[in-house]
């Protein structure tokens, strides 16, 4: 298992990619690797949404940083400096509810499956598209996005957010999730 504990020794002012003093190249690079064999899907990262409605159940597997799900720390990831990277599983018939990131671009790369992606501006303009294997969409900050698995199998996608620690997204005011208090993780 990759030992990421060396990263915790760095001060808050030192970028996480800085080679720790006295570390060999191998030791340093081992802090920069997140292997699939050491990951596990976190079905609880967005559990508050699934508790509200089971159709929102999905899982995150973090690699770089903690993403925008509200998870505050994961010592088993490569620390983030400028972006986050994770994979997400959306089971067939499930969806990611409409949410907005006001501070970052969000990129979805669909590795497997079939998703309907709906983009809506705060003013009400609407755009939707169907994504299939190896399609990518880059969603700018300031618009709502939702991902709906319209296929017969789990959808697997890579998700990147353009900040070390993005501001936790919010939902449209009229969406029921906008009124739910989420627990800090």
């Amino acid at each position: 298992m990759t030992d990421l504990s060396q990263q915790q020794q760095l001060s808050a002012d030192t970028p996480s990619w800085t080679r720790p003093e006295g570390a060999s190249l191998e030791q340093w690079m081992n802090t920069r690797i997140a292997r699939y064999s050491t990951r596990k899907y976190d079905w609880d990262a967005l559990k508050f949404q699934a508790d509200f409605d089971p159709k929102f159940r999905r899982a995150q597997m973090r690699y770089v940083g903690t993403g925008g799900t509200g998870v505050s720390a994961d010592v088993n990831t490569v620390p983030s400096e400028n972006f986050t990277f994770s994979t997400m599983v959306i089971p067939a018939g499930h969806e990611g509810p409409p949410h907005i990131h006001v501070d970052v671009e969000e990129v979805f790369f669909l590795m497997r499956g079939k998703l309907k992606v709906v983009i809506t501006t705060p003013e009400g303009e609407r755009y939707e598209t169907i994504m299939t294997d190896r399609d990518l969409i880059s969603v700018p900050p300031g618009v709502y996005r939702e991902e709906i698995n319209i296929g017969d199998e789990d959808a697997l996608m890579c998700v990147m957010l353009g900040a070390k620690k993005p501001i936790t997204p919010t939902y449209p005011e009229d969406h029921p999730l906008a009124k739910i208090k989420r627990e800090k993780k």
Side-chain angles (χ1 to χ4, degrees):
M1 186 165 162
T2 304
D3 179 10
L4 300 176
S5 62
Q6 286 180 322
Q7 294 300 329
Q8 297 169 350
Q9 297 171 4
L10 298 174
S11 75
D13 296 332
T14 305
S16 65
W17 60 62
T18 302
R19 184 174 181 169
E21 192 173 328
S24 70
L25 180 59
E26 180 180 359
Q27 290 168 328
W28 181 33
M29 287 298 97
N30 282 335
T31 69
R32 310 292 306 159
I33 297 170
R35 298 194 187 280
Y36 177 72
S37 63
T38 66
R39 310 292 96 199
K40 66 177 186 166
Y41 278 111
D42 182 353
W43 290 93
D44 292 332
L46 296 163
K47 185 177 181 307
F48 74 99
Q49 293 176 354
D51 287 347
F52 176 78
D53 189 326
K55 73 180 180 182
F56 296 134
R57 184 173 185 266
R58 57 203 193 287
Q60 179 189 45
M61 184 180 285
R62 295 177 287 279
Y63 285 85
V64 178
T66 57
T69 60
V71 173
S72 61
D74 183 342
V75 297
N76 197 34
T77 63
V78 173
S80 175
E81 284 299 323
N82 298 295
F83 64 92
T84 68
F85 179 89
S86 61
T87 59
M88 184 159 289
V89 171
I90 303 177
H94 290 216
E95 60 189 75
H99 63 283
I100 192 168
H101 291 276
V102 296
D103 62 327
V104 293
E105 171 183 25
E106 184 171 33
V107 174
F108 301 121
F109 178 79
L110 187 59
M111 294 167 37
R112 180 183 71 234
K114 188 173 183 181
L115 291 177
K116 177 167 68 170
V117 177
V118 180
I119 306 297
T120 310
T121 66
E123 298 78 33
E125 291 179 276
R126 181 180 169 96
Y127 170 80
E128 64 181 61
T129 190
I130 304 298
M131 293 178 60
T132 59
D133 296 5
R134 299 184 186 187
D135 288 348
L136 178 142
I137 185 169
S138 173
V139 183
V143 296
Y144 292 96
R145 72 277 332 252
E146 62 184 297
E147 316 83 42
I148 304 159
N149 185 341
I150 58 172
D152 297 329
E153 64 179 356
D154 289 351
L156 175 62
M157 65 179 174
C158 297
V159 181
M160 288 182 66
L161 289 161
K164 177 178 186 168
K165 183 63 182 153
I167 296 171
T168 303
T170 57
Y171 309 97
E173 287 182 22
D174 61 347
H175 195 279
L177 286 174
K179 295 161 185 53
I180 303 272
K181 275 277 207 199
R182 74 169 73 187
E183 294 179 28
K184 294 276 186 189
K185 292 191 81 134

